[in-house]
């Protein structure tokens, strides 16, 4: 009877990886080589390892160390994100969730156009962070950026240093209306729909992006010119993502598959990581509304997944994707 009820002894692997003090460096190095899907699977194999993901949130998923590649004072920058309701998106946000560094990528910062906000960010970058301003593009007036919903793009760069031996580049991308509407409604593929605010990071399609490593093409792939989507798809194909024109019936059978008719940013299909906000000035107006932003998707009548935001959302007959 005693043998029946006796708890099993931990394996040597569980002792090493489950030790939060003596062997944590080993755990950290092992997990640095694992994709997030494998980390979650590992944490579910044993009670002794159930803490792994939560422990890694405190080390490998912290935003300030990532921002230090671009900013000497990450908390001052995050305070400006809060003040101006700005969002980081593009490759930097994807790198954050992937725990990767691509030295040939820049940091894209999105916010609703305002001359005062542009001037504030420009002063911070040039005077405080010592970036060089390299010019701007008026989006609607140039063939180079025929993208609806954008106003202007302001570019900055900082010369290589011993610590960062590559040119660091930042783009201020100003939008007509809320930047989140542009990111979700106008980006060309699911792989790039990740955003970072002053206090949280959101991966809107985590299962597709970080587990299946697919990039599902969206309606904006064609609506703003196939050159833009093709260029982006090719770039992420080189980084390990497989392009997919649309979802399939097999995909839709997966319980938490995130491409479905009705979604909101803060729902169960989004991967959210909250940040430490010590020393970061909170926004003057509560920003919790970001998680209530709704959008919907459908494949009816097209080759790519169609994304609709706000007033564009059509009436759907079903709560599931209409997949041929």
């Amino acid at each position: 009877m005693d043998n029946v009820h006796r708890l099993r002894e931990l394996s040597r692997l569980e002792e090493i990886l489950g030790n939060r003090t003596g062997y944590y460096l080993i755990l950290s190095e092992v997990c640095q080589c694992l994709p997030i899907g494998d980390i979650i699977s590992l944490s579910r194999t044993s009670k002794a390892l159930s803490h792994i993901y939560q422990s890694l949130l405190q080390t490998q998923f912290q935003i300030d160390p990532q921002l230090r590649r671009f900013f000497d004072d990450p908390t001052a920058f995050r305070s400006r994100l809060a003040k101006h309701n700005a969002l980081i998106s593009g490759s930097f946000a994807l790198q954050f969730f992937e725990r990767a560094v691509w030295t040939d990528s820049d940091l894209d910062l999105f916010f609703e156009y305002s001359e005062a906000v542009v001037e504030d960010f420009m002063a911070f970058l040039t005077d405080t962070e010592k970036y060089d301003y390299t010019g701007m593009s008026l989006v609607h007036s140039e063939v180079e950026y025929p993208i609806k919903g954008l106003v202007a793009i302001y570019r900055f760069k900082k010369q290589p240093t011993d610590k960062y031996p590559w040119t660091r580049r930042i783009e201020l991308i100003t939008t007509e209306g809320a930047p989140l509407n542009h990111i979700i409604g106008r980006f060309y593929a699911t792989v790039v729909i990740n955003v970072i605010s002053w206090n949280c990071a959101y991966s809107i399609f985590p299962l597709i992006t970080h587990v299946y490593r697919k990039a599902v093409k969206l309606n904006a792939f064609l609506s703003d010119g196939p050159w833009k989507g093709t260029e982006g798809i090719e770039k992420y194909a080189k980084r390990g993502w497989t392009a997919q024109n649309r979802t399939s019936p097999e995909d839709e059978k997966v319980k938490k598959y995130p491409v479905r008719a009705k979604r909101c940013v803060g729902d169960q299909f989004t991967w959210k990581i909250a940040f430490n906000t010590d020393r970061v000035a909170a926004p003057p107006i509560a920003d919790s509304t970001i998680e209530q932003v709704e959008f919907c998707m459908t494949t009816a009548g097209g080759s790519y997944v169609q994304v609709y935001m706000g007033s564009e959302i059509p009436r759907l007959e079903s709560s599931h994707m209409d997949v041929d």
Side-chain angles (χ1 to χ4, degrees):
M1 182 66 68
D2 290 340
N3 289 336
V4 173
H5 292 288
R6 186 172 57 192
L7 295 175
R8 71 172 180 85
E9 294 182 359
L10 296 178
S11 67
R12 184 57 177 157
L13 181 62
E14 287 174 303
E15 289 180 353
I16 293 175
L17 298 184
N19 189 319
R20 305 191 192 196
T21 54
Y23 296 105
Y24 185 77
L25 288 178
I26 296 177
L27 172 66
S28 181
E29 289 298 316
V30 169
C31 289
Q32 187 65 54
C33 301
L34 297 178
I36 187 60
D38 289 347
I39 290 173
I40 298 300
S41 296
L42 179 62
S43 70
R44 291 174 175 172
T45 59
S46 162
K47 185 176 181 180
L49 304 180
S50 61
H51 71 282
I52 288 178
Y53 173 68
Q54 291 299 324
S55 296
L56 293 176
L57 286 180
Q58 308 306 314
T59 54
Q60 296 185 11
F61 292 99
Q62 286 297 302
I63 190 61
D64 284 354
Q66 298 293 332
L67 288 175
R68 285 194 183 95
R69 290 163 43 204
F70 290 90
F71 304 102
D72 295 332
D73 190 347
T75 56
F77 171 69
R78 288 171 59 195
S79 294
R80 277 177 168 75
L81 289 183
K83 179 181 179 182
H84 301 307
N85 295 313
L87 297 171
I88 301 171
S89 193
S91 61
F92 180 89
L94 180 59
Q95 288 172 80
F96 170 77
F97 282 103
E98 286 287 301
R99 295 164 295 149
V101 174
W102 302 322
T103 58
D104 60 340
S105 65
D106 54 15
L107 185 147
D108 295 334
L109 182 62
F110 292 78
F111 55 91
E112 185 172 0
Y113 178 79
S114 161
E115 185 175 344
V117 176
V118 170
E119 291 176 353
D120 188 44
F121 272 120
M122 290 184 71
F124 175 74
L125 291 176
T126 57
D127 299 341
T128 303
E129 292 290 339
K130 307 306 180 185
Y131 273 81
D132 296 320
Y133 173 59
T134 61
M136 61 91 74
S137 297
L138 290 172
V139 177
H140 291 317
S141 65
E142 296 194 6
V143 177
E144 181 184 3
Y145 288 99
I147 303 175
K148 297 177 182 177
L150 298 186
V151 179
I153 300 175
Y154 304 82
R155 301 180 183 84
F156 303 80
K157 71 176 182 179
K158 183 182 287 189
Q159 297 301 322
T161 64
D162 291 339
K163 187 175 182 179
Y164 300 106
W166 61 84
T167 300
R168 287 164 285 172
R169 303 180 188 276
I170 293 176
E171 290 191 345
L172 304 183
I173 303 175
T174 57
T175 62
E176 297 175 347
L180 187 59
N181 288 351
H182 175 81
I183 293 167
I184 296 178
R186 303 301 305 175
F187 275 15
Y188 57 84
T190 53
V191 67
V192 288
I193 303 186
N194 313 281
V195 296
I196 296 174
S197 70
W198 71 281
N199 64 343
C200 289
Y202 302 89
S203 178
I204 309 300
F205 302 99
L207 188 63
I208 301 174
T209 303
H210 308 292
V211 178
Y212 296 167
R213 300 194 73 78
K214 294 180 180 179
V216 177
K217 297 175 185 178
L218 303 176
N219 50 308
F221 179 80
L222 289 180
S223 63
D224 289 319
W227 60 272
K228 183 65 176 178
T230 300
E231 179 184 279
I233 289 294
E234 290 176 351
K235 177 172 66 175
Y236 286 105
K238 294 177 182 178
R239 292 171 175 170
W241 278 269
T242 301
Q244 181 173 316
N245 281 359
R246 61 192 302 172
T247 58
S248 67
E250 290 73 24
D251 291 332
E252 284 301 305
K253 293 177 183 178
V254 177
K255 184 177 180 181
K256 290 195 174 183
Y257 198 68
V259 177
R260 54 189 59 236
K262 296 180 181 179
R263 288 283 312 273
C264 70
V265 171
D267 64 20
Q268 63 176 318
F269 307 107
T270 293
W271 180 11
K272 173 185 173 181
I273 297 177
F275 303 141
N276 185 318
T277 57
D278 292 347
R279 298 173 44 241
V280 180
I285 301 175
D287 64 347
S288 58
T289 55
I290 188 174
E291 297 189 15
Q292 277 75 58
V293 171
E294 296 181 339
F295 59 100
C296 74
M297 292 165 281
T298 178
T299 54
S303 299
Y304 302 102
V305 176
Q306 308 292 306
V307 181
Y308 300 93
M309 300 292 300
S311 60
E312 296 179 343
I313 296 178
R315 295 186 65 180
L316 302 177
E317 299 296 327
S318 169
S319 62
H320 300 285
M321 287 283 291
D322 180 7
V323 181
D324 295 336

